[in-house]
Amino acid sequence: MKRTLNVSRVFLGLACAVSAFSIDQLSKFAIVEIVMQPPRNIYITSFFNITLSYNKGISFGIFSSYFENSSTILSFATSLVVGFLFVWMLYAKTRVQTMAIGLIVGGAVGNIFDRMRQGAVTDFIDLHLGSWHWPTFNGADIAIVVGAALVVFTSPRSPPDDSTR
């Protein structure tokens, strides 16, 4: 089956990508330049703080020490993934899938932009339960997770193969 490019869906996906990128970058700017002047921890609720940090690793700080001086390599690898996702977005089957991939692309580009500009990703959302803290994250990470969840939950399910019984 040949897939065709749906121009209106492409614009929808691009709009989601640009929105995710813009919201991410504006929120990071506001936190770094306005809210965190002077730098401090801001306690919002018993489970949510604003805590400024800079992530040099992959998602949630994984492999931070390995990528500490290699932000260009990590940015290049992420850019390859973004390129694949962009092509997938061009030929997505549904509007929801197009929007979801657009969110992932926009979030990933937001984090790439941070890495290229400052060598690390700006994180500031700190969720915790008692003394257990989820790794600090940002708006780009939210867009990526929401987009990925939408892709997974809206993907067509194929019936189980009877030959495995």
Side-chain angles (χ1 to χ4, degrees), residues 149-161:
L150 284 170
V151 167
V152 168
F153 292 121
T154 62
S155 293
R157 311 267 191 267
S158 58
D161 186 8

mmCIF file with all atom_site columns, all heavy atoms in Angstrom, residues 149-161:
data_model
loop_
_atom_site.group_PDB
_atom_site.id
_atom_site.type_symbol
_atom_site.label_atom_id
_atom_site.label_alt_id
_atom_site.label_comp_id
_atom_site.label_asym_id
_atom_site.label_entity_id
_atom_site.label_seq_id
_atom_site.pdbx_PDB_ins_code
_atom_site.Cartn_x
_atom_site.Cartn_y
_atom_site.Cartn_z
_atom_site.occupancy
_atom_site.B_iso_or_equiv
_atom_site.pdbx_formal_charge
_atom_site.auth_seq_id
_atom_site.auth_comp_id
_atom_site.auth_asym_id
_atom_site.auth_atom_id
_atom_site.pdbx_PDB_model_num
ATOM 1  N N   . ALA A 1 149 ? 3.146  8.686   24.331 1.00 0.00 ? 149 ALA A N   1
ATOM 2  C CA  . ALA A 1 149 ? 1.969  7.986   24.861 1.00 0.00 ? 149 ALA A CA  1
ATOM 3  C C   . ALA A 1 149 ? 0.832  7.991   23.843 1.00 0.00 ? 149 ALA A C   1
ATOM 4  O O   . ALA A 1 149 ? 0.159  6.965   23.646 1.00 0.00 ? 149 ALA A O   1
ATOM 5  C CB  . ALA A 1 149 ? 1.519  8.631   26.170 1.00 0.00 ? 149 ALA A CB  1
ATOM 6  N N   . LEU A 1 150 ? 0.622  9.115   23.176 1.00 0.00 ? 150 LEU A N   1
ATOM 7  C CA  . LEU A 1 150 ? -0.421 9.181   22.144 1.00 0.00 ? 150 LEU A CA  1
ATOM 8  C C   . LEU A 1 150 ? -0.122 8.239   20.982 1.00 0.00 ? 150 LEU A C   1
ATOM 9  O O   . LEU A 1 150 ? -1.029 7.580   20.466 1.00 0.00 ? 150 LEU A O   1
ATOM 10 C CB  . LEU A 1 150 ? -0.577 10.613  21.626 1.00 0.00 ? 150 LEU A CB  1
ATOM 11 C CG  . LEU A 1 150 ? -1.313 11.580  22.530 1.00 0.00 ? 150 LEU A CG  1
ATOM 12 C CD1 . LEU A 1 150 ? -1.189 13.010  22.003 1.00 0.00 ? 150 LEU A CD1 1
ATOM 13 C CD2 . LEU A 1 150 ? -2.774 11.181  22.653 1.00 0.00 ? 150 LEU A CD2 1
ATOM 14 N N   . VAL A 1 151 ? 1.131  8.166   20.578 1.00 0.00 ? 151 VAL A N   1
ATOM 15 C CA  . VAL A 1 151 ? 1.502  7.237   19.494 1.00 0.00 ? 151 VAL A CA  1
ATOM 16 C C   . VAL A 1 151 ? 1.199  5.803   19.908 1.00 0.00 ? 151 VAL A C   1
ATOM 17 O O   . VAL A 1 151 ? 0.597  5.038   19.157 1.00 0.00 ? 151 VAL A O   1
ATOM 18 C CB  . VAL A 1 151 ? 2.993  7.385   19.096 1.00 0.00 ? 151 VAL A CB  1
ATOM 19 C CG1 . VAL A 1 151 ? 3.446  6.224   18.225 1.00 0.00 ? 151 VAL A CG1 1
ATOM 20 C CG2 . VAL A 1 151 ? 3.229  8.700   18.377 1.00 0.00 ? 151 VAL A CG2 1
ATOM 21 N N   . VAL A 1 152 ? 1.588  5.441   21.126 1.00 0.00 ? 152 VAL A N   1
ATOM 22 C CA  . VAL A 1 152 ? 1.382  4.067   21.598 1.00 0.00 ? 152 VAL A CA  1
ATOM 23 C C   . VAL A 1 152 ? -0.102 3.749   21.734 1.00 0.00 ? 152 VAL A C   1
ATOM 24 O O   . VAL A 1 152 ? -0.580 2.716   21.254 1.00 0.00 ? 152 VAL A O   1
ATOM 25 C CB  . VAL A 1 152 ? 2.116  3.833   22.943 1.00 0.00 ? 152 VAL A CB  1
ATOM 26 C CG1 . VAL A 1 152 ? 1.684  2.527   23.591 1.00 0.00 ? 152 VAL A CG1 1
ATOM 27 C CG2 . VAL A 1 152 ? 3.616  3.860   22.732 1.00 0.00 ? 152 VAL A CG2 1
ATOM 28 N N   . PHE A 1 153 ? -0.853 4.642   22.365 1.00 0.00 ? 153 PHE A N   1
ATOM 29 C CA  . PHE A 1 153 ? -2.252 4.346   22.653 1.00 0.00 ? 153 PHE A CA  1
ATOM 30 C C   . PHE A 1 153 ? -3.172 4.478   21.441 1.00 0.00 ? 153 PHE A C   1
ATOM 31 O O   . PHE A 1 153 ? -4.285 3.968   21.468 1.00 0.00 ? 153 PHE A O   1
ATOM 32 C CB  . PHE A 1 153 ? -2.761 5.196   23.816 1.00 0.00 ? 153 PHE A CB  1
ATOM 33 C CG  . PHE A 1 153 ? -2.130 4.817   25.122 1.00 0.00 ? 153 PHE A CG  1
ATOM 34 C CD1 . PHE A 1 153 ? -1.423 5.749   25.857 1.00 0.00 ? 153 PHE A CD1 1
ATOM 35 C CD2 . PHE A 1 153 ? -2.212 3.523   25.615 1.00 0.00 ? 153 PHE A CD2 1
ATOM 36 C CE1 . PHE A 1 153 ? -0.825 5.404   27.051 1.00 0.00 ? 153 PHE A CE1 1
ATOM 37 C CE2 . PHE A 1 153 ? -1.616 3.163   26.803 1.00 0.00 ? 153 PHE A CE2 1
ATOM 38 C CZ  . PHE A 1 153 ? -0.920 4.101   27.535 1.00 0.00 ? 153 PHE A CZ  1
ATOM 39 N N   . THR A 1 154 ? -2.726 5.138   20.398 1.00 0.00 ? 154 THR A N   1
ATOM 40 C CA  . THR A 1 154 ? -3.572 5.268   19.200 1.00 0.00 ? 154 THR A CA  1
ATOM 41 C C   . THR A 1 154 ? -3.083 4.410   18.039 1.00 0.00 ? 154 THR A C   1
ATOM 42 O O   . THR A 1 154 ? -3.661 4.456   16.970 1.00 0.00 ? 154 THR A O   1
ATOM 43 C CB  . THR A 1 154 ? -3.655 6.739   18.738 1.00 0.00 ? 154 THR A CB  1
ATOM 44 O OG1 . THR A 1 154 ? -2.355 7.210   18.383 1.00 0.00 ? 154 THR A OG1 1
ATOM 45 C CG2 . THR A 1 154 ? -4.275 7.607   19.812 1.00 0.00 ? 154 THR A CG2 1
ATOM 46 N N   . SER A 1 155 ? -2.029 3.631   18.270 1.00 0.00 ? 155 SER A N   1
ATOM 47 C CA  . SER A 1 155 ? -1.534 2.751   17.212 1.00 0.00 ? 155 SER A CA  1
ATOM 48 C C   . SER A 1 155 ? -2.533 1.626   16.985 1.00 0.00 ? 155 SER A C   1
ATOM 49 O O   . SER A 1 155 ? -3.107 1.093   17.934 1.00 0.00 ? 155 SER A O   1
ATOM 50 C CB  . SER A 1 155 ? -0.181 2.145   17.589 1.00 0.00 ? 155 SER A CB  1
ATOM 51 O OG  . SER A 1 155 ? 0.797  3.143   17.646 1.00 0.00 ? 155 SER A OG  1
ATOM 52 N N   . PRO A 1 156 ? -2.731 1.270   15.712 1.00 0.00 ? 156 PRO A N   1
ATOM 53 C CA  . PRO A 1 156 ? -3.660 0.174   15.435 1.00 0.00 ? 156 PRO A CA  1
ATOM 54 C C   . PRO A 1 156 ? -3.140 -1.121  16.046 1.00 0.00 ? 156 PRO A C   1
ATOM 55 O O   . PRO A 1 156 ? -1.955 -1.407  15.997 1.00 0.00 ? 156 PRO A O   1
ATOM 56 C CB  . PRO A 1 156 ? -3.696 0.099   13.908 1.00 0.00 ? 156 PRO A CB  1
ATOM 57 C CG  . PRO A 1 156 ? -2.613 0.968   13.403 1.00 0.00 ? 156 PRO A CG  1
ATOM 58 C CD  . PRO A 1 156 ? -2.121 1.812   14.526 1.00 0.00 ? 156 PRO A CD  1
ATOM 59 N N   . ARG A 1 157 ? -4.038 -1.847  16.620 1.00 0.00 ? 157 ARG A N   1
ATOM 60 C CA  . ARG A 1 157 ? -3.687 -3.124  17.230 1.00 0.00 ? 157 ARG A CA  1
ATOM 61 C C   . ARG A 1 157 ? -4.023 -4.232  16.232 1.00 0.00 ? 157 ARG A C   1
ATOM 62 O O   . ARG A 1 157 ? -5.137 -4.298  15.725 1.00 0.00 ? 157 ARG A O   1
ATOM 63 C CB  . ARG A 1 157 ? -4.482 -3.356  18.510 1.00 0.00 ? 157 ARG A CB  1
ATOM 64 C CG  . ARG A 1 157 ? -4.465 -2.183  19.472 1.00 0.00 ? 157 ARG A CG  1
ATOM 65 C CD  . ARG A 1 157 ? -3.348 -2.329  20.470 1.00 0.00 ? 157 ARG A CD  1
ATOM 66 N NE  . ARG A 1 157 ? -3.470 -1.373  21.547 1.00 0.00 ? 157 ARG A NE  1
ATOM 67 C CZ  . ARG A 1 157 ? -2.891 -0.183  21.554 1.00 0.00 ? 157 ARG A CZ  1
ATOM 68 N NH1 . ARG A 1 157 ? -2.212 0.221   20.534 1.00 0.00 ? 157 ARG A NH1 1
ATOM 69 N NH2 . ARG A 1 157 ? -3.015 0.624   22.582 1.00 0.00 ? 157 ARG A NH2 1
ATOM 70 N N   . SER A 1 158 ? -3.071 -5.097  15.993 1.00 0.00 ? 158 SER A N   1
ATOM 71 C CA  . SER A 1 158 ? -3.362 -6.236  15.114 1.00 0.00 ? 158 SER A CA  1
ATOM 72 C C   . SER A 1 158 ? -3.775 -7.417  15.976 1.00 0.00 ? 158 SER A C   1
ATOM 73 O O   . SER A 1 158 ? -3.298 -7.587  17.085 1.00 0.00 ? 158 SER A O   1
ATOM 74 C CB  . SER A 1 158 ? -2.149 -6.573  14.255 1.00 0.00 ? 158 SER A CB  1
ATOM 75 O OG  . SER A 1 158 ? -1.056 -6.871  15.077 1.00 0.00 ? 158 SER A OG  1
ATOM 76 N N   . PRO A 1 159 ? -4.680 -8.245  15.454 1.00 0.00 ? 159 PRO A N   1
ATOM 77 C CA  . PRO A 1 159 ? -5.115 -9.407  16.241 1.00 0.00 ? 159 PRO A CA  1
ATOM 78 C C   . PRO A 1 159 ? -3.945 -10.381 16.426 1.00 0.00 ? 159 PRO A C   1
ATOM 79 O O   . PRO A 1 159 ? -3.030 -10.411 15.599 1.00 0.00 ? 159 PRO A O   1
ATOM 80 C CB  . PRO A 1 159 ? -6.226 -10.019 15.388 1.00 0.00 ? 159 PRO A CB  1
ATOM 81 C CG  . PRO A 1 159 ? -6.045 -9.456  14.023 1.00 0.00 ? 159 PRO A CG  1
ATOM 82 C CD  . PRO A 1 159 ? -5.314 -8.174  14.171 1.00 0.00 ? 159 PRO A CD  1
ATOM 83 N N   . PRO A 1 160 ? -3.972 -11.144 17.507 1.00 0.00 ? 160 PRO A N   1
ATOM 84 C CA  . PRO A 1 160 ? -2.883 -12.101 17.737 1.00 0.00 ? 160 PRO A CA  1
ATOM 85 C C   . PRO A 1 160 ? -2.810 -13.127 16.615 1.00 0.00 ? 160 PRO A C   1
ATOM 86 O O   . PRO A 1 160 ? -3.822 -13.511 16.036 1.00 0.00 ? 160 PRO A O   1
ATOM 87 C CB  . PRO A 1 160 ? -3.230 -12.746 19.078 1.00 0.00 ? 160 PRO A CB  1
ATOM 88 C CG  . PRO A 1 160 ? -4.634 -12.372 19.372 1.00 0.00 ? 160 PRO A CG  1
ATOM 89 C CD  . PRO A 1 160 ? -4.993 -11.202 18.512 1.00 0.00 ? 160 PRO A CD  1
ATOM 90 N N   . ASP A 1 161 ? -1.600 -13.556 16.344 1.00 0.00 ? 161 ASP A N   1
ATOM 91 C CA  . ASP A 1 161 ? -1.356 -14.560 15.312 1.00 0.00 ? 161 ASP A CA  1
ATOM 92 C C   . ASP A 1 161 ? -1.769 -15.920 15.845 1.00 0.00 ? 161 ASP A C   1
ATOM 93 O O   . ASP A 1 161 ? -1.260 -16.378 16.877 1.00 0.00 ? 161 ASP A O   1
ATOM 94 C CB  . ASP A 1 161 ? 0.121  -14.529 14.946 1.00 0.00 ? 161 ASP A CB  1
ATOM 95 C CG  . ASP A 1 161 ? 0.457  -15.441 13.787 1.00 0.00 ? 161 ASP A CG  1
ATOM 96 O OD1 . ASP A 1 161 ? -0.472 -15.982 13.164 1.00 0.00 ? 161 ASP A OD1 1
ATOM 97 O OD2 . ASP A 1 161 ? 1.671  -15.596 13.512 1.00 0.00 ? 161 ASP A OD2 1
#
